[in-house]
Amino acid sequence: MELDNEKKDGNFRWTDNDVTVLCEVCINYIHRNGRGQAFRWHEIHEEVQEKSGPKYQFKSVKNKFDSMKADWYLWKFLKNGETGLGWDPTTGRISASDEWWKNKIAAKPDAKKFKNKPLHPTIEDLYFQIFEGKRATEEGVVAPSMDHSSVNVVNVGGDLNEGDGEDDAYYEYTQHSSVL
């Protein structure tokens, strides 16, 4: 019996939904274990199988992650590598001349895949969360425009006057923005 995503040669086709599942599993893994920890691919493979069904072999999951990482850095290179490029918000494509694309494809042949099919914004956001480190959320966000009267000092350990001279306190903000 051949699975829907299986090709005759044994490789698998990853749908956007399957990529989303893999990304979410990796993001959850990072949240549980920390960014500096190496992935335990057997755990990730099991969780992907649990969420999307037994479609993929262990090696396929790791290979897909590696190709996602390469795609992310290539996409960033294309999108952010130069000033003066245009952006089509309706298609999500980079608006650049044919000569610009020719030069980029000559330098990095894999760039050809992004000329007419950019990263989907949802996938781009997930890749950012996985490969770029921290992501801002409303929790703990501080802005220079915030009303500082809403700041409470919270002591997280010991007397502030004792110890090695470093403050063991942080500022707790009770609001997320200030409306003028």
Side-chain angles (χ1 to χ4, degrees):
M1 179 175 113
E2 188 172 328
L3 297 171
D4 290 341
N5 288 359
E6 192 172 352
K7 294 182 192 175
K8 299 237 188 257
D9 64 1
N11 291 328
F12 298 94
R13 291 186 201 134
W14 287 78
T15 65
D16 284 347
N17 186 51
D18 293 330
V19 170
T20 301
V21 168
L22 176 58
C23 288
E24 289 171 351
V25 167
C26 290
I27 291 165
N28 289 335
Y29 185 89
I30 291 167
H31 289 307
R32 283 191 314 265
N33 300 295
R35 184 161 296 281
Q37 302 300 316
F39 284 142
R40 292 186 186 128
W41 286 106
H42 289 288
E43 289 178 27
I44 290 172
H45 178 251
E46 287 175 15
E47 197 171 335
V48 168
Q49 297 267 65
E50 187 178 299
K51 291 184 179 200
S52 65
K55 299 177 185 179
Y56 305 110
Q57 298 172 353
F58 171 80
K59 192 171 185 175
S60 179
V61 172
K62 171 70 169 100
N63 288 344
K64 182 59 181 175
F65 180 86
D66 291 341
S67 78
M68 289 178 351
K69 187 173 187 178
D71 284 350
W72 170 247
Y73 287 110
L74 178 58
W75 177 247
K76 263 184 43 176
F77 166 78
L78 294 171
K79 188 175 173 186
N80 303 330
E82 296 178 24
T83 59
L85 295 176
W87 181 257
D88 185 345
T90 57
T91 63
R93 290 184 188 157
I94 298 169
S95 298
S97 68
D98 288 337
E99 184 177 330
W100 183 89
W101 276 108
K102 183 180 175 184
N103 290 337
K104 294 300 175 188
I105 293 168
K108 298 187 182 262
D110 287 343
K112 184 177 183 179
K113 66 181 154 190
F114 292 124
K115 183 175 180 183
N116 295 315
K117 187 180 182 225
L119 278 181
H120 188 279
T122 302
I123 301 290
E124 182 177 4
D125 183 57
L126 293 168
Y127 283 9
F128 178 85
Q129 291 179 58
I130 295 169
F131 302 118
E132 289 300 315
K134 296 183 180 182
R135 176 167 174 74
T137 64
E138 288 186 9
E139 187 176 326
V141 173
V142 179
S145 62
M146 291 177 71
D147 178 9
H148 292 281
S149 66
S150 65
V151 176
N152 300 322
V153 176
V154 177
N155 189 354
V156 293
D159 186 351
L160 292 178
N161 297 323
E162 293 180 4
D164 58 6
E166 293 186 28
D167 282 344
D168 290 330
Y170 66 91
Y171 293 101
E172 180 180 87
Y173 291 86
T174 57
Q175 67 180 23
H176 295 290
S177 64
S178 176
V179 179
L180 298 175

